[in-house]
């Protein structure tokens, strides 16, 4: 079902999502607010449906949302350019991990496809962020999550990598093996603590409530 020229809703094969994750790993979720963050009860429910009642998965699951620079629906195939899942990362990860899904044991789930809007990379990132914020609801979104894909954080992450530091912007992101030594990696939480303590001269807040850094009163100053 198409929504104008820039969006569509399709039924997507669970096995195709499993195969995509196997090929691209967390890059498939590059514009999501976070990678898979374990939630015992939700994870358990998704796994049970996959293994015991896959036919009802479409009814019980919110599905996934994908953004891309361009898409084309050709028969039963959706062809996407420069795409990322921005909602449904938890579902995607659990589909990937499940041994109950294969080419012969497959089922469908709903998938929303949205073309990115923007003239440059910053505008596209902001658009992606708005879609991700609006569609993520299964787990609580923390203030720090909302900054994961903001243009300034993306640029800062790239700059840190250029000097040999891995900057983790998303909860659930795995620190690469070559950056495991503590002084070779950092994250939004640690940088937030440094800013609260050093820039705002608030060591107590830095220690007790570091997430305050990502509230507009401090972050947007």
């Amino acid at each position: 079902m198409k929504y104008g020229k820039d969006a569509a809703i399709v039924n997507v094969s669970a096995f195709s999502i499993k195969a995509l994750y196997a090929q691209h790993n967390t890059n498939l979720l590059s514009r999501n607010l976070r990678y898979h963050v374990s939630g015992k009860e939700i994870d358990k429910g998704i796994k049970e449906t996959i293994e015991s009642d896959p036919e009802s998965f479409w009814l019980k699951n919110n599905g996934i949302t994908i953004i891309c620079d361009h898409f084309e629906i050709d028969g039963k195939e959706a062809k996407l350019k420069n795409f990322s899942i921005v909602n449904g990362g938890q579902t995607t990860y659990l589909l990937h991990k499940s041994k109950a899904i294969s080419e012969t044991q497959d089922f469908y789930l709903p998938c929303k496809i949205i073309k990115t809007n923007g003239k440059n990379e910053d505008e596209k990132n902001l658009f992606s962020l708005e879609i991700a914020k609006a569609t993520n609801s299964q787990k609580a979104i923390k203030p720090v999550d909302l900054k994961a894909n903001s243009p300034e954080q993306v640029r800062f992450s790239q700059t840190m990598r250029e000097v040999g530091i891995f900057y983790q912007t998303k909860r659930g992101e795995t620190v690469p093996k070559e950056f495991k030594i503590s002084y070779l990696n950092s994250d939004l939480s640690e940088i937030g603590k440094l800013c609260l303590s050093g820039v705002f001269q608030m060591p107590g807040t830095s220690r007790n409530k570091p997430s305050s850094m990502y509230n507009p009163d401090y972050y947007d100053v």
Side-chain angles (χ1 to χ4, degrees), residues 47 50 72 123 135 143 149 167 172 178 182 194 200 213 221:
K47 290 176 183 177
I50 291 173
E72 178 183 337
E123 289 183 2
T135 56
N149 280 338
Y167 182 52
E178 62 269 31
S182 60
L194 287 172
F200 291 98
M213 178 62 215
V221 171

Side-chain angles (χ1 to χ4, degrees), residues 29-35 37 84-87 128-137 141-142 144-150 169-173 188:
L29 309 172
S30 61
R31 287 186 172 174
N32 203 350
L33 296 178
R34 59 200 169 196
Y35 297 119
V37 179
S84 171
I85 293 174
V86 296
N87 176 251
S128 303
L129 179 60
E130 289 302 312
I131 297 298
K133 284 165 60 177
T135 56
N136 276 274
S137 60
I141 298 295
K142 297 182 178 181
V144 68
D145 291 326
L146 299 179
K147 302 302 180 184
N149 280 338
S150 59
T169 61
K170 302 175 186 179
R171 287 191 293 152
E173 186 173 15
L188 281 165

Side-chain angles (χ1 to χ4, degrees), residues 9-190:
I9 296 177
V10 301
N11 288 330
V12 64
S13 154
F15 180 72
S16 70
I17 299 299
K18 178 184 173 80
L20 275 176
Y21 194 95
Q23 180 180 355
H24 299 286
N25 205 270
T26 54
N27 287 331
L28 187 60
L29 309 172
S30 61
R31 287 186 172 174
N32 203 350
L33 296 178
R34 59 200 169 196
Y35 297 119
H36 176 253
V37 179
S38 181
K40 185 176 179 180
E41 293 304 316
I42 296 175
D43 285 7
K44 180 182 177 183
I46 294 175
K47 290 176 183 177
E48 287 180 350
T49 304
I50 291 173
E51 294 170 4
S52 305
D53 192 16
E55 293 301 317
S56 72
F57 196 90
W58 194 98
L59 301 174
K60 295 179 179 180
N61 191 272
N62 289 332
I64 61 177
T65 300
I66 296 177
I67 58 167
C68 58
D69 285 349
H70 177 76
F71 74 88
E72 178 183 337
I73 297 176
D74 183 10
K76 293 185 177 182
E77 290 188 353
K79 300 178 180 180
L80 312 176
K81 180 181 179 181
N82 192 20
F83 60 93
S84 171
I85 293 174
V86 296
N87 176 251
Q90 182 180 22
T91 294
T92 299
Y93 179 78
L94 294 174
L95 292 176
H96 159 68
K97 294 291 288 184
S98 178
K99 295 180 179 179
I101 300 171
S102 66
E103 286 187 275
T104 56
Q105 291 179 289
D106 200 3
F107 56 87
Y108 290 91
L109 60 149
C111 173
K112 186 187 293 183
I113 302 172
I114 301 172
K115 181 181 176 182
T116 49
N117 184 13
K119 297 178 181 178
N120 54 52
E121 199 62 27
D122 276 4
E123 289 183 2
K124 289 180 180 180
N125 280 335
L126 286 172
F127 177 81
S128 303
L129 179 60
E130 289 302 312
I131 297 298
K133 284 165 60 177
T135 56
N136 276 274
S137 60
Q138 278 191 320
K139 286 183 177 175
I141 298 295
K142 297 182 178 181
V144 68
D145 291 326
L146 299 179
K147 302 302 180 184
N149 280 338
S150 59
E152 67 277 4
Q153 291 293 341
V154 172
R155 288 195 296 270
F156 185 57
S157 177
Q158 292 169 344
T159 301
M160 292 281 275
R161 185 64 70 90
E162 289 171 4
V163 296
I165 304 295
F166 181 79
Y167 182 52
Q168 180 183 351
T169 61
K170 302 175 186 179
R171 287 191 293 152
E173 186 173 15
T174 301
V175 177
K177 181 173 60 177
E178 62 269 31
F179 296 101
K180 286 290 186 180
I181 302 173
S182 60
Y183 62 81
L184 291 180
N185 68 79
S186 188
D187 58 29
L188 281 165
S189 179
E190 290 183 352

